[in-house]
Amino acid sequence: MKNWVDLAGEVLQGHELTDDEALEILVCPDEELLSLLQGAYKIRNHYYGNKVKLNMIINTKSGLCPENCGYCSQSSVSNAPIEKYRMIDKVSIIKGASQAHELNVGTYCIVASGRGPSNKEIDEVVSAVKEIKAQYQMKVCACLGLLKPEQAAKLKEAGVDRYNHNINTSANHHENITTSHTYQDRVNTLELIKHAGISPCSGVIIGMKETKDDVIAMARSLKVLDADSIPVNFLHAIDGTPLEGTNELNPRYCLKVLCLMRFINPTKEIRISGGREVNLRSLQPLGLYPANSIFVGDYLTTAGQEETADHQMLTDLGFEIDYCPA
Ligand code: SF4
């Protein structure tokens, strides 16, 4: 049996996983899962103790997207019966921040569907963010799609701390998921926001028919991109999307993926994101041994579990909410 705790110790000394070691994590026998989690927890605990960061999303614009991302219910190729609306007003965005504040959320994520924001939408977000930052001690993350440099500069000036733009999958698998923009387009936006001085958040969606080598490539790409925050989504295939009916995951494999992300990106915020409830199911609490962050509330077009259940889970684990927005 592999000694995962020793390997974690090596990672803490600066060891970078070989491809063989990375693959061993993903194919780790279930009998070794607790030992693997213990190794991942050793790393997580070293950098984050028992603290858990909370994020909350507001979907400020839903559906109506011309892109063709295969997993997304908001795309032009989806028939999913979701609510569709144009960007909500500033007052509603600020109201969402107030709810997030009441739930001790450290990062409020302002999300909008679409290939990228119009200048008018940027101005709406900028205006809301300025007020939120004046009123609340919380980090603000924007997720608005592909950006132009001048748009990134405006967001930075307004006080946006972080920008989310997921790589979603590996460079090799990308065109099986979407053809309306390239993997490089996504990388370019991440580079642009780093250049603007905004902290990069970028993550993945697991369970989209990728190989294990793709999963390892994703973890390594996020390391190269130096993403400060890594949301790990597990596909919750929505009827009416091209990936409808895809159901490749089991909770133990999801935990192994989270461990891989921790071993390859030891110092980073790793967040269990969309699909947590449906894919990890009763094993959700174990995900917080490798990961140190979760979303509370609903996702973009699917419901999450009640916030009270999330807070109860943290209490039961003996973990604490990381209120610090830094
Ligand atoms: S993921 Fe974003 S860009 Fe892709 S279809 Fe959905 S809303 Fe559009």
Side-chain angles (χ1 to χ4, degrees):
M1 178 165 134
K2 181 98 180 166
N3 192 324
W4 299 109
V5 177
D6 281 358
L7 183 63
E10 288 173 35
V11 167
L12 289 175
Q13 298 298 317
H15 172 65
E16 298 207 356
L17 254 55
T18 64
D19 284 343
D20 285 348
E21 287 168 334
L23 187 60
E24 274 184 86
I25 290 179
L26 291 181
V27 300
C28 163
D30 289 343
E31 307 86 85
E32 293 185 26
L33 182 53
L34 286 179
S35 165
L36 174 63
L37 285 164
Q38 191 185 356
Y41 176 64
K42 178 172 177 151
I43 302 170
R44 178 251 205 262
N45 186 263
H46 179 85
Y47 291 107
Y48 295 100
N50 278 343
K51 303 255 172 154
V52 178
K53 294 177 190 289
L54 303 183
N55 283 42
M56 190 168 160
I57 284 182
I58 182 164
N59 198 9
T60 63
K61 179 183 166 198
S62 180
L64 312 166
C65 182
E67 303 293 291
N68 66 0
C69 307
Y71 53 85
C72 180
S73 58
Q74 308 189 71
S75 82
S76 60
V77 293
S78 160
N79 301 315
I82 57 157
E83 227 187 323
K84 296 179 183 166
Y85 48 87
R86 303 207 166 274
M87 188 168 271
I88 59 175
D89 60 21
K90 178 173 99 172
V91 173
S92 306
I93 300 175
I94 296 167
K95 193 168 152 217
S98 149
Q99 287 163 349
H101 175 71
E102 280 165 26
L103 290 167
N104 297 316
V105 163
T107 306
Y108 180 53
C109 309
I110 301 173
V111 183
S113 62
R115 179 180 170 88
S118 66
N119 288 338
K120 189 162 169 255
E121 287 165 345
I122 286 284
D123 289 344
E124 188 75 13
V125 171
V126 159
S127 168
V129 171
K130 283 184 177 164
E131 289 200 29
I132 292 167
K133 295 299 280 187
Q135 284 184 46
Y136 303 108
Q137 278 272 322
M138 65 169 65
K139 194 181 268 184
V140 173
C141 178
C143 174
L144 310 170
L146 300 168
L147 276 190
K148 300 187 181 105
E150 58 277 17
Q151 294 178 321
K154 276 189 172 182
L155 293 175
K156 170 69 183 171
E157 200 206 323
V160 167
D161 302 279
R162 188 162 267 179
Y163 195 85
N164 166 263
H165 199 57
N166 290 338
I167 56 167
N168 287 326
T169 191
S170 70
N172 277 342
H173 193 49
H174 186 270
E175 67 178 20
N176 299 323
I177 302 301
T178 180
T179 54
S180 53
H181 56 269
T182 64
Y183 182 85
Q184 192 58 43
D185 287 333
R186 290 191 165 264
V187 169
N188 291 347
T189 284
L190 285 163
E191 294 299 349
L192 187 150
I193 59 137
K194 283 198 279 184
H195 186 71
I198 300 175
S199 161
C201 169
S202 186
V204 296
I205 307 173
I206 303 296
M208 300 197 295
K209 304 182 183 173
E210 70 281 346
T211 64
K212 292 188 172 57
D213 285 342
D214 287 320
V215 178
I216 295 165
M218 293 176 217
R220 293 209 191 283
S221 296
L222 293 170
K223 185 176 184 73
V224 171
L225 285 163
D226 202 18
D228 291 327
S229 171
I230 301 179
V232 181
N233 298 276
F234 297 103
L235 182 70
H236 177 184
I238 299 171
D239 287 351
T241 62
L243 284 168
E244 171 179 347
T246 309
N247 182 15
E248 303 189 319
L249 301 174
N250 68 60
R252 295 159 330 275
Y253 180 67
C254 295
L255 291 173
K256 291 168 196 173
V257 170
L258 290 169
C259 289
L260 177 78
M261 291 293 164
R262 176 59 68 202
F263 272 87
I264 291 188
N265 296 281
T267 63
K268 302 300 189 178
E269 176 180 346
I270 294 176
R271 181 161 51 263
I272 321 173
S273 300
R276 164 163 64 100
E277 293 84 349
V278 294
N279 286 294
L280 280 161
R281 300 193 285 276
S282 61
L283 300 193
Q284 284 184 66
L286 294 180
L288 281 169
Y289 288 98
N292 65 308
S293 177
I294 54 171
F295 278 112
V296 291
D298 293 338
Y299 302 105
L300 291 176
T301 63
T302 56
Q305 70 183 11
E306 289 291 321
E307 295 88 8
T308 46
D310 288 328
H311 283 89
Q312 186 66 55
M313 175 171 77
L314 303 187
T315 305
D316 292 349
L317 282 162
F319 287 3
E320 290 168 54
I321 296 173
D322 189 350
Y323 295 104
C324 174

